[in-house]
């Protein structure tokens, strides 16, 4: 069995009045992430980590922000397509470990719903998805509530 690890990092600016999609769910907040798609930073880092683990480039290569078909797209559709591509190459997800960096709103109450949605989209067990949240102690763009960042590490296996 072949085992590979991938890593993802993404940042999105926060803007007042936009919906805030995070981990496949809409989180109530006054600000939302700005991006070409729905700007779900957690799904984007998971996609990048999965694609990287399988040496399949990155989310921008597969879903360029210059392509109008991806304007406003639900990132769950991108994740489902990444899973299709990954499985087509013979890979399966071992586990995902992710961290969201955000001052407000508090993410912890939403993590169970995020895990459920992501597991359904990916066709994996909820136990295979770890989502953590942290602040940056009011430092940097996250601390000033100008943006949201996320990291993910994944393990994939190939028979």
């Amino acid at each position: 069995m072949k085992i590979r690890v991938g890593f993802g990092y993404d940042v999105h600016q926060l803007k007042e009045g936009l919906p805030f999609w995070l981990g496949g769910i809409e989180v109530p907040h006054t600000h939302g992430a700005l991006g070409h798609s729905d700007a779900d930073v957690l799904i984007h880092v998971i996609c990048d980590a999965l694609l990287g683990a399988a040496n399949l480039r990155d989310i921008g290569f597969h879903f360029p922000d210059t392509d109008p078909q991806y304007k406003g797209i639900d990132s769950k559709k991108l994740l489902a397509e990444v899973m299709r591509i990954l499985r087509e190459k013979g890979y399966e997800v071992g586990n995902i470990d992710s961290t969201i960096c955000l001052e407000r709103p508090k993410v912890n109450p939403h993590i169970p719903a995020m895990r459920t949605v992501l597991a359904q989209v990916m066709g994996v067990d909820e136990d295979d998805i770890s989502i953590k949240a942290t602040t940056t102690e009011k430092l940097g763009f996250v601390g000033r509530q100008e943006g949201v960042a996320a990291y993910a590490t994944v393990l994939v296996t190939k028979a």
Side-chain angles (χ1 to χ4, degrees):
M1 173 188 308
K2 187 176 218 173
I3 297 172
R4 298 181 72 150
V5 175
F7 174 76
Y9 170 73
D10 196 20
V11 170
H12 283 281
Q13 186 178 9
L14 293 174
K15 288 286 187 183
E16 189 172 0
L18 294 177
F20 192 24
W21 289 96
L22 196 56
I25 66 168
E26 188 172 358
V27 175
H29 192 46
T30 57
H31 290 65
L34 180 65
H36 186 71
S37 66
D38 65 5
D40 188 323
V41 69
L42 182 59
I43 288 182
H44 294 178
V45 297
I46 291 170
C47 287
D48 267 348
L50 290 167
L51 290 166
N55 196 20
L56 295 169
R57 310 255 331 235
D58 60 31
I59 192 172
F61 175 80
H62 291 276
F63 314 106
D65 63 6
T66 55
D67 190 331
Q69 74 174 315
Y70 302 119
K71 179 72 177 158
I73 194 168
D74 181 339
S75 291
K76 292 186 293 291
K77 292 179 181 178
L78 304 180
L79 180 57
E81 178 63 9
V82 166
M83 290 304 298
R84 186 197 65 74
I85 294 167
L86 201 71
R87 288 184 171 126
E88 185 177 89
K89 295 286 185 181
Y91 290 98
E92 282 298 328
V93 173
N95 74 300
I96 297 166
D97 185 27
S98 62
T99 302
I100 302 164
C101 303
L102 185 67
E103 292 294 324
R104 286 184 333 145
K106 293 297 181 193
V107 174
N108 279 320
H110 305 286
I111 289 175
M114 291 179 197
R115 289 179 64 222
T116 297
V117 168
L118 293 173
Q120 289 171 351
V121 170
M122 298 175 70
V124 301
D125 291 335
E126 284 184 40
D127 282 347
D128 294 334
I129 302 171
S130 167
I131 302 171
K132 303 177 304 295
T134 190
T135 69
T136 59
E137 300 295 331
K138 303 195 183 327
L139 298 173
F141 70 89
V142 171
R144 292 186 302 271
Q145 300 180 46
E146 297 168 355
V148 56
Y151 303 85
T153 303
V154 303
L155 181 130
V156 298
T157 59
K158 187 174 189 179

